[in-house]
Amino acid sequence: MRQASAGGSFAATTRKRSVGYYLKRDWQLWVMILPAIVYILIFCYGPMYGLQLAFRDYDFSKGFTGGQWSGMKYFMQYFTSPMFWPTLRNTFLMAFFSLVCGFPVPILLALVINSIHSKNGKRAVQTAVYMPYFISTVVMVAILQIMLSPTTGMLSNLLKAMHLVPQAANLMGDASSFIPIYVISGIWQGAGWNSIIFIAALAAVDSQLYDAAKVDGANRWQQVWHVELPAILPTIIILLILNMGNILSVGFEKTFLMQNALNKSVSEVIATYVFNVGIKSSQFSFGTAVGLFNTLVNFIFLVVANQISRRVADISLV
């Protein structure tokens, strides 16, 4: 009875500990992550105050809290707009192909890098595939315009010489080429950097598993299939769920810089539409409503993907 009483007293003491106790105990860790917390509060949660503009008729003279309440007016204006389905379709297609074609590449790249036994060779490959990530978006689009120029572009002329594209093709101005160029250039730029987390997960695989697989007669492909992929499967699923939460968040900068009058039918996505209508045309309430709709759709995809993963693989974010 005394032991039970002592155990109950210990549990009660543990339950009574406040947040301040843990802040005091781990204050060094909290100080270390304080800049990140401040950044998120200011630049992620702070701007959410302006979401009320989606439900108001914005008036410059009355500020964020002024303006007449309009309810769902601007949402209905977007849903009935002739640009609703084109922008939704273009955004979804670009995000879908970027996810389907781009998500497996870092995994494959990590498996290849992990199979390189030479340390110097591994460093050289990693450096080569990481470098494109540090190219700015403006420079990246400029490189594409130079390489795919219809007259002097080296890559464009190579494709023409191989008869893969028509001789008079202008790839940067061709609507049918916009999405492939966007997706392929995005894979080239980000695959190396995105492979880092998979390389880290592979580094944590117990070497005894490889030894056991070799004893059982497993070849290199069988080691990948039965040892490495199961080890990084939780990481793959978590990142896939996070990517599903950005299914309609196509990068504005790259799309806007690649956009021109010839390919606008496929390059006008929600992000560029918000800029062209909401900012350039000073329709701030309408632009906020469109952006909020985009965010809500992303949130729904995130929740659905998380629930499916929890039921199928028993892996989820929360």
Side-chain angles (χ1 to χ4, degrees), residues 180-305:
I181 293 173
Y182 180 92
V183 173
I184 294 173
S185 61
I187 294 173
W188 175 76
Q189 187 174 20
W193 184 260
N194 293 332
S195 68
I196 292 177
I197 190 169
F198 298 111
I199 295 174
L202 288 171
V205 177
D206 192 347
S207 60
Q208 294 181 359
L209 295 176
Y210 291 103
D211 296 335
K214 292 177 182 178
V215 171
D216 291 337
N219 55 32
R220 180 55 190 157
W221 167 248
Q222 290 172 330
Q223 292 177 34
V224 170
W225 186 257
H226 295 288
V227 176
E228 295 181 347
L229 284 179
I232 65 174
L233 183 60
T235 304
I236 294 174
I237 294 177
I238 292 298
L239 290 179
L240 182 60
I241 294 173
L242 293 175
N243 282 320
M244 289 298 296
N246 294 319
I247 191 68
L248 293 184
S249 297
V250 177
F252 165 77
E253 297 86 356
K254 185 178 178 181
T255 307
F256 182 75
L257 291 170
M258 292 178 61
Q259 190 178 85
N260 55 55
L262 298 177
N263 60 28
K264 197 168 186 178
S265 60
V266 297
S267 64
E268 185 75 319
V269 296
I270 294 177
T272 58
Y273 183 65
V274 168
F275 175 76
N276 291 326
V277 176
I279 305 300
K280 294 176 67 175
S281 300
S282 299
Q283 299 184 40
F284 299 107
S285 296
F286 179 71
T288 305
V290 177
L292 181 58
F293 165 75
N294 187 19
T295 303
L296 290 176
V297 173
N298 285 335
F299 179 74
I300 292 172
F301 271 101
L302 176 64
V303 173
V304 171

Side-chain angles (χ1 to χ4, degrees), residues 4-70:
S5 176
S9 176
F10 175 76
T13 304
T14 303
R15 285 195 298 269
K16 291 180 181 178
R17 286 176 178 173
S18 63
V19 177
Y21 168 80
Y22 295 101
L23 290 175
K24 183 178 180 180
R25 188 188 68 178
D26 303 322
W27 67 270
Q28 297 94 338
L29 299 178
W30 287 104
V31 170
M32 186 173 63
I33 66 171
L34 181 61
I37 295 176
V38 172
Y39 175 86
I40 292 174
L41 290 176
I42 294 176
F43 296 102
C44 295
Y45 286 97
M48 292 179 67
Y49 178 76
L51 291 178
Q52 62 176 307
L53 292 181
F55 307 96
R56 293 182 181 274
D57 292 321
Y58 179 64
D59 187 347
F60 280 100
S61 62
K62 297 180 180 180
F64 285 114
T65 57
Q68 186 177 359
W69 187 263
S70 60

